[in-house]
Amino acid sequence: MRTLLRRSRRAFFALIGSAALALGGAVALPGTAQAANILSNPGFESGLSPWSCTGNLGSAVSSPVHGGSKALAGAVSSSDNAQCSQTVSVQPNTTYNLSGWVRGSYVYLGVDGGASTWTTSPSAYSQLSVSFTTGASQTSATIYVHGWYAQGTYYADDISLDGPGGGGGGSDTQAPTAPTGLTSTGKTSSSVSLKWNASTDNVGVTAYDIYRGSSQVLSVSGTSATVSGLSPSTGYTFTVKARDAAGNTSAASNSVTVTTDAGSGGGTGFKQAAPYLYEGWGDPPNPSTVMSATGIKWFTMAFVLDSGGCTPAWDGSRPLTGGADQTAVNQIRAAGGDIVPSFGGWSGSKLGANCSSAGALAGALQKVIDAYGLKAIDMDIENSDEFENEAVQARILTALKTVKADNPGLRTIVTFGTSTTGPTYYGNRLIEQAQSLGANIDVFTIMPFDFGGGSDMYGNTVNAAEGLKAKLKSTFGWDDATAYAHIGISGMNGLSDQQENTTPAIWSQIRDWANSHHIARLAYWAVNRDRPCAGGGVVSNCSGIDQSNWQFTSITAGFTG
């Protein structure tokens, strides 16, 4: 039986401890001969460029500094760690030494996908250093520094990456050629898709920056992108510039002007009330009985896992078709409803973690889409194997982008944990990767429970959703209405694993807030528990509190967005 604790969150200091353990256990690597620092603007003397900072939270300040006249200040918020990064050209199979001077509470220095180090609460500048070795075919590396959520502004200065630069040196001043052939490949009422021809550069292009008018709105590594968060029936002019690892930027491409389709607003137009129903646990009820009693139309069916070899199956063991799960789907559809399958969850063998590539994962998702003629799919991204693995996050997002392109009209949902004030580090990374990959996710659903939220489940749920809204706005450039229209909330009825109590009255408040802010999705875990058992504790087939049968489902059915 799947434990209710499938969605518990790692505490902040546990995360710090594991990071320290991982660093302490690293094998010492042989050093290389020292070379000139290959980072550009390492002391922030000329501002931020070519460093880029999440949420526009970085700035060059004149005090406090370690050396020179400027330093970086990262204005950490409760939902953004103010990560500032720079991508440089490197040589394969080469050891590099990264160091920097930092000041603040829990400041990290590291390389994307590799080693990192951190320091606690220094009142003055202290030096961090870490070594890493590039892969056999690696030609670029992204160096970053960031603080920690709600820990106050951090400062960084005189960051150095010693080792040979890509192309035999670190003093590249040649800009890439301008991209050519910019054209629109599609549009909706809220987005425009673009493609262009690749630029050339003496050491290689690392990114393309997309501009809407004079404002940069997106940065991607490939030669296509989708700009979202646009208004309907509105003309927009786009250009693209190429950028190399040294921060050299090309001239602008040709411009293209596109008018978005007519529509009701900048959202997805997708509204769904879909509580979780699980056929492998908790005395699963007859869905048609629940539908008749409550008026609910959609269910989120849990969980599709890997039965081996990147092969989808319900719970990793029940047949994809012909079993109890298909019987439930047939009953739901016969009663005029529909389902969205949820892939993943807290435990079990997950497709995202076990499929060898994004293409293989997309193929597994397609099998389920074809089996049930789906209109939407949900990726429930949890635990260290998926949520806390940035490479797996990218694999999942790329697969979702693929199946969305292959199945016109398919809606894609990602579901993940949250803090009481919004996404955590890994939630922010998920959102940032969705933007950089052009994944065009329809709904970002948070799970506001099992986060040590205390007694105010309504207030903490709203605060978490507002934190998600702020992150979506800063990442995608959306306005409030568009950001809300991409938000989902998936709560837990009655008692959570951490004894948080969401009563029917509180859930009604949450639903009413969701309606008034026109979010996209409302769900909860789970219909199996939507039965009374006051004093029953946290169990699989009832809520642990006093309620009527199917009361939370009835409340959820009143969600209209």
Side-chain angles (χ1 to χ4, degrees):
M1 182 178 73
R2 183 182 300 269
T3 174
L4 282 172
L5 236 124
R6 66 188 191 89
R7 288 172 170 170
S8 60
R9 304 286 161 231
R10 180 182 300 176
F12 166 58
F13 287 103
L15 186 150
I16 291 217
S18 64
L21 180 63
L23 182 65
V27 177
L29 296 170
T32 60
Q34 292 296 302
N37 183 4
I38 64 173
L39 293 177
S40 298
N41 192 21
F44 306 94
E45 299 300 309
S46 57
L48 286 181
S49 182
W51 297 88
S52 61
C53 301
T54 59
N56 295 318
L57 296 175
S59 61
V61 297
S62 57
S63 179
V65 300
H66 172 261
S69 61
K70 294 290 180 66
L72 167 69
V76 170
S77 71
S78 60
S79 60
D80 196 316
N81 63 7
Q83 176 168 301
C84 296
S85 60
Q86 178 181 154
T87 302
V88 296
S89 294
V90 294
Q91 295 184 12
N93 291 322
T94 303
T95 299
Y96 288 82
N97 299 306
L98 174 64
S99 65
W101 293 85
V102 300
R103 173 175 175 167
S105 181
Y106 301 104
V107 188
Y108 286 71
L109 180 71
V111 58
D112 262 8
S116 66
T117 185
W118 57 275
T119 187
T120 60
S121 306
S123 58
Y125 275 100
S126 61
Q127 188 175 32
L128 295 175
S129 60
V130 66
S131 296
F132 65 91
T133 300
T134 54
S137 59
Q138 185 174 351
T139 58
S140 67
T142 298
I143 304 306
Y144 66 81
V145 59
H146 67 73
W148 197 255
Y149 305 96
Q151 296 297 305
T153 298
Y154 73 87
Y155 301 92
D157 202 0
D158 300 327
I159 300 176
S160 177
L161 181 63
D162 289 333
S171 57
D172 175 37
T173 59
Q174 179 176 325
T177 61
T180 60
L182 176 65
T183 186
S184 172
T185 58
K187 60 178 181 173
T188 68
S189 62
S190 60
S191 67
V192 171
S193 296
L194 304 166
K195 72 173 183 178
W196 55 90
N197 298 323
S199 298
T200 59
D201 186 69
N202 59 318
V203 295
V205 173
T206 58
Y208 292 92
D209 299 326
I210 295 90
Y211 287 81
R212 186 179 67 208
S214 60
S215 301
Q216 182 183 335
V217 293
L218 204 59
S219 182
V220 298
S221 58
T223 56
S224 64
T226 296
V227 181
S228 302
L230 307 178
S231 299
S233 303
T234 303
Y236 294 93
T237 299
F238 300 96
T239 55
V240 178
K241 297 180 182 179
R243 178 161 43 89
D244 65 18
N248 300 306
T249 302
S250 76
S253 69
N254 61 295
S255 64
V256 60
T257 300
V258 183
T259 299
T260 52
D261 293 338
S264 57
T268 66
F270 181 61
K271 305 294 179 182
Q272 185 188 79
Y276 280 81
L277 177 66
Y278 191 10
E279 288 299 309
W281 166 94
D283 300 332
N286 184 303
S288 59
T289 299
V290 178
M291 295 172 73
S292 176
T294 66
I296 200 74
K297 293 296 184 183
W298 281 79
F299 292 92
T300 305
M301 295 278 291
F303 285 101
V304 179
L305 297 174
D306 181 21
S307 63
C310 192
T311 303
W314 292 105
D315 233 18
S317 58
R318 299 189 303 278
L320 185 59
T321 59
D325 300 87
Q326 180 163 31
T327 297
V329 173
N330 294 343
Q331 290 172 337
I332 292 165
R333 288 179 167 171
D338 211 340
I339 66 109
V340 51
S342 184
F343 295 78
W346 179 256
S347 60
S349 181
K350 302 167 197 174
L351 291 162
N354 289 290
C355 292
S356 60
S357 66
L361 176 57
L365 300 182
Q366 191 65 51
K367 289 179 182 178
V368 185
I369 294 168
D370 292 341
Y372 289 102
L374 297 172
K375 299 174 183 176
I377 59 174
D378 170 52
M379 298 297 294
D380 191 332
I381 307 172
E382 301 194 48
N383 216 323
S384 57
D385 55 349
E386 289 192 328
F387 187 57
E388 296 176 11
N389 186 318
E390 293 168 12
V392 174
Q393 282 190 7
R395 183 185 305 159
I396 291 170
L397 292 167
T398 303
L400 289 174
K401 179 180 179 179
T402 299
V403 296
K404 188 163 187 177
D406 292 342
N407 300 271
L410 181 74
R411 304 293 189 169
T412 53
I413 304 163
V414 292
T415 300
F416 52 97
T418 182
S419 75
T420 56
T421 56
T424 63
Y425 169 80
Y426 290 105
N428 284 324
R429 285 289 290 149
L430 179 71
I431 293 166
E432 291 160 9
Q433 290 203 88
Q435 186 268 353
S436 66
L437 292 168
N440 199 18
I441 299 299
D442 290 290
V443 186
F444 295 87
T445 301
I446 52 170
M447 297 183 287
F449 61 90
D450 281 354
F451 53 12
S455 59
D456 186 9
M457 292 304 286
Y458 170 73
N460 285 321
T461 296
V462 168
N463 288 340
E466 290 289 355
L468 173 59
K469 180 206 74 171
K471 180 62 180 177
L472 294 178
K473 286 181 65 178
S474 65
T475 302
F476 293 99
W478 291 336
D479 58 19
D480 281 1
T482 304
Y484 282 128
H486 286 80
I487 285 176
I489 292 173
S490 181
M492 187 168 179
N493 59 312
L495 295 180
S496 76
D497 305 299
Q498 296 183 9
Q499 300 296 307
E500 302 153 335
N501 188 4
T502 300
T503 65
I506 292 172
W507 189 239
S508 295
Q509 283 184 288
I510 292 170
R511 181 210 55 199
D512 293 345
W513 182 91
N515 280 335
S516 67
H517 288 77
H518 309 299
I519 73 169
R521 182 172 183 248
L522 188 66
Y524 75 88
W525 178 263
V527 176
N528 306 60
R529 303 180 66 245
D530 195 11
R531 295 175 273 213
C533 59
V538 183
V539 292
S540 64
N541 61 358
C542 59
S543 64
I545 65 172
D546 186 26
Q547 62 160 96
S548 59
N549 282 334
W550 323 129
Q551 188 171 3
F552 284 88
T553 306
S554 295
I555 295 167
T556 306
F559 170 73
T560 60

